[in-house]
């Protein structure tokens, strides 16, 4: 089954010169992870997102649309990227999620609603 | 209906859906009652009937054509006769699945009690001191999580057992608490099997699987010791007999011996824990069968350790009773009076303990009032009969 691994992290750790060095390490970690997923034959996709400051949110209230500058929820940790992987079950999804480099934050693991299923 | 846990666990393992398994069992049980003659092998009949009903439901939901193809192997009731082992024992597997760390910590043990032990939600809510609707919601949410989140229906690999062990042991402890409080067997009659025997079986199985986990051994020892007194706990009239007044010639020495071995094995790991201490307390009581007396100062020291490991008003209460044996009733009463009386107002053991010590201190009027308070809380029948006897003696 498919799982989305959502990387929620504190973007500010990548600020400054130290942050840039950290980012390089993290990106190298993602490259390694992608190689390992390929080697393990796990079908996957994933993207890195631009910072939350670049987000635009559309909301509807009482049928009226309004646009907001910023992400859907203002929190200390923003959605910074995601993977979608196809594995037998939650335990395998969690095992892969644990290998995603996240200096400060967490990973939300959620099953993807299967196409064609009812309910 | 007998054998519920085994049949529900087998259905759940097969259907990979906890709700569907419970519903299928309930329907199968209802149709078994409607039979003119009871089936020869009731559990096997329930398993096959439950499975067939569940698959019928799936077939209806998914559209006949696709499902008929997928479940073509399901034939009719006749296949009972040909199944070599019609109901695989899946209880242990299910216990570990219910205790998956992806399920909310406060829901794991509750889910296990519902699915594996078949405890009614009301009984589970009492064990967790929660309201029934809240507990119902907690269990429903956990079942949905198991069904939708991709939690595997396999026994996890051995390396993952430890992180689930805490919840597994808690579930067994609470199930046993419920079974033990049910001296008169009302709950067991309600769920259709001897809950205490079931918990003992599972606790021993867990101890056998994890011999290097001292707390697993401790819990198994605790259950064995409590069960060793089963024959002595209720008198001829169905009234509870408290531990100190039990005829220890009726205790099961084989169970006591086995518990002692488990505790010795646990001690070798040099990792103490609350279950081991609780079992050690019960073993100290069990020594009365050999020594003729209880070493109350040893009991008191063990309660001191338990209170540090797992502080709770209930442990403090038991410790106060041990203290009263060593230093006198007034010393015990002084400790009881210092406990949060408001929080304990609905706790029967609090009033029973107070009644005991007040009577020993010669304060009969107050003892009678404490017994009335305990009786007003609606104890199970065996305890009620015992409390009424004591109440009558106080006049």
């Amino acid at each position: 089954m498919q799982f989305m691994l959502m990387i929620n992290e504190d973007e500010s750790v990548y600020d400054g010169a130290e942050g840039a060095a950290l980012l390089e390490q993290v990106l190298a970690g993602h490259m390694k992870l992608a190689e390992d997923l390929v080697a393990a034959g796990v079908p996957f996709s994933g993207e890195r997102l631009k910072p939350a400051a670049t987000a635009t949110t559309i909301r509807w209230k009482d049928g009226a649309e309004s646009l907001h500058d910023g992400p859907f929820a203002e929190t200390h940790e923003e959605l910074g990227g995601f993977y979608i992987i196809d594995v037998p079950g939650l335990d395998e999804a969690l095992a892969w999620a644990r290998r995603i480099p996240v200096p400060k934050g967490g990973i939300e693991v959620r099953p993807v609603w299967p196409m064609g299923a009812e309910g | 209906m007998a054998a519920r846990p085994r049949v529900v666990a087998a259905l759940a393992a097969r259907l990979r859906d906890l709700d569907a398994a419970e519903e299928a069992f309930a329907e199968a049980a209802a149709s078994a009652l409607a039979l003119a003659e009871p089936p020869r092998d009731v559990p096997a009949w329930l398993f096959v009937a439950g499975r067939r009903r569940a698959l019928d439901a799936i077939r209806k939901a998914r559209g006949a054509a696709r499902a008929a193809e997928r479940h073509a192997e399901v034939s009719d009731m006749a296949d009972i006769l040909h199944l070599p082992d019609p109901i695989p024992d899946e209880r242990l597997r299910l216990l570990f699945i219910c205790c998956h760390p992806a399920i909310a910590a406060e829901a794991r043990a509750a889910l296990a009690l519902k699915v594996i032990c078949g405890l009614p939600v009301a009984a589970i809510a009492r064990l967790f001191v929660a309201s029934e609707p809240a507990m119902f919601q907690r269990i429903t949410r956990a079942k949905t999580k198991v069904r939708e989140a991709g939690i595997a229906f396999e026994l996890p690999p051995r390396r993952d057992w430890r992180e689930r062990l805490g919840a597994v042991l808690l579930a067994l402890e609470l199930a046993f608490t419920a079974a033990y409080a049910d001296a008169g067997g009302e709950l067991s009659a309600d769920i259709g099997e001897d809950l205490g025997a079931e918990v003992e079986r599972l606790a021993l199985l867990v101890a056998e699987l994890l011999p290097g986990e001292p707390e697993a051994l401790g819990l198994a020892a605790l259950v064995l010791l409590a069960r060793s007194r089963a024959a002595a706990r209720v008198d001829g009239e169905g009234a509870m007999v408290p531990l100190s007044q039990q005829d220890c010639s009726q205790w099961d020495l084989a169970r006591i011996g086995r518990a002692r071995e488990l505790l010795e094995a646990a001690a070798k790991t040099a990792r103490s824990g609350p279950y081991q201490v609780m079992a050690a307390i019960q073993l100290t009581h069990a020594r009365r069968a050999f020594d003729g007396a209880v070493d109350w100062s040893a009991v008191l020291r063990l309660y001191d350790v338990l209170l540090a490991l797992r502080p709770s008003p209930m442990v403090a209460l038991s410790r106060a009773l041990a203290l009263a044996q060593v230093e006198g009733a007034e010393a015990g009463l002084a400790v009881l009076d210092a406990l949060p009386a408001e929080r304990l107002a609905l706790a029967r053991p609090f009033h029973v303990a107070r009644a005991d010590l007040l009577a020993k201190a010669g304060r009969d009027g107050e003892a009678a009032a404490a017994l009335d308070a305990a009786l007003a809380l609606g104890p199970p029948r065996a305890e009620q009969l015992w409390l009424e006897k004591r109440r009558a003696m106080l006049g």
Side-chain angles (χ1 to χ4, degrees), chain B residues 246-313:
Chain B
Q246 284 173 17
D247 170 8
C248 52
S249 71
Q250 287 185 48
W251 290 351
D252 176 356
L253 299 186
R255 278 197 170 86
I256 294 173
R258 178 91 185 86
R260 208 195 60 213
E261 286 165 18
L262 286 168
L263 278 184
E264 282 168 2
K268 285 196 185 115
T269 67
R271 282 187 286 140
S272 188
Y275 292 127
Q276 293 168 76
V277 177
M278 284 188 254
I281 290 167
Q282 296 308 316
L283 189 62
T284 311
H285 283 295
R287 292 195 64 89
R288 177 157 72 85
F290 308 93
D291 302 345
V294 176
D295 181 351
W296 281 105
S297 52
V299 173
L300 181 58
R301 279 195 304 276
L302 287 165
Y303 271 119
D304 285 337
V305 176
L306 187 58
L307 199 56
L309 285 174
R310 199 170 155 170
S312 84

Side-chain angles (χ1 to χ4, degrees), chain A residues 1 3 89-91 94 111 118, chain B residues 61 66 100 102 148-151:
Chain A
M1 64 192 277
F3 289 87
L90 179 64
D91 289 325
L94 291 172
E118 320 112 58
Chain B
R66 233 168 359 128
H100 193 289
E148 301 294 341
I151 289 176

Side-chain angles (χ1 to χ4, degrees), chain A residues 67-84:
Chain A
L67 276 188
H68 290 277
D69 172 26
F72 182 74
E74 295 284 355
T75 56
H76 292 297
E77 278 130 12
E78 306 294 353
L79 184 64
F82 63 88
Y83 285 86
I84 292 178

Side-chain angles (χ1 to χ4, degrees), chain B residues 110-154:
Chain B
L111 182 63
L113 291 169
K114 175 79 176 72
V115 176
I116 294 141
C117 299
L119 282 188
V121 174
I124 300 172
R126 274 199 300 278
L127 287 169
F128 282 93
V129 199
S131 77
E132 196 176 332
M135 185 51 68
F136 182 78
Q137 198 185 26
R138 199 190 286 184
I139 291 171
T140 306
R141 210 177 280 159
K143 280 183 183 165
T144 308
K145 179 86 191 251
V146 171
R147 188 177 62 234
E148 301 294 341
I151 289 176
F153 257 86
E154 313 304 329

Side-chain angles (χ1 to χ4, degrees), chain A residues 31-99:
Chain A
M31 292 299 286
K32 175 79 176 79
L33 182 62
E35 283 168 23
D36 291 348
L37 281 163
V38 171
V42 174
F44 78 101
S45 63
E47 300 294 346
R48 178 185 173 200
L49 302 179
K50 289 193 176 180
T54 64
T56 309
T57 302
I58 310 171
R59 282 182 182 275
W60 285 272
K61 200 181 172 192
D62 304 326
E65 176 192 307
S66 62
L67 276 188
H68 290 277
D69 172 26
F72 182 74
E74 295 284 355
T75 56
H76 292 297
E77 278 130 12
E78 306 294 353
L79 184 64
F82 63 88
Y83 285 86
I84 292 178
I85 61 173
D86 197 342
V87 291
L90 179 64
D91 289 325
E92 293 81 2
L94 291 172
W96 286 108
R98 285 190 184 96
R99 299 182 48 185

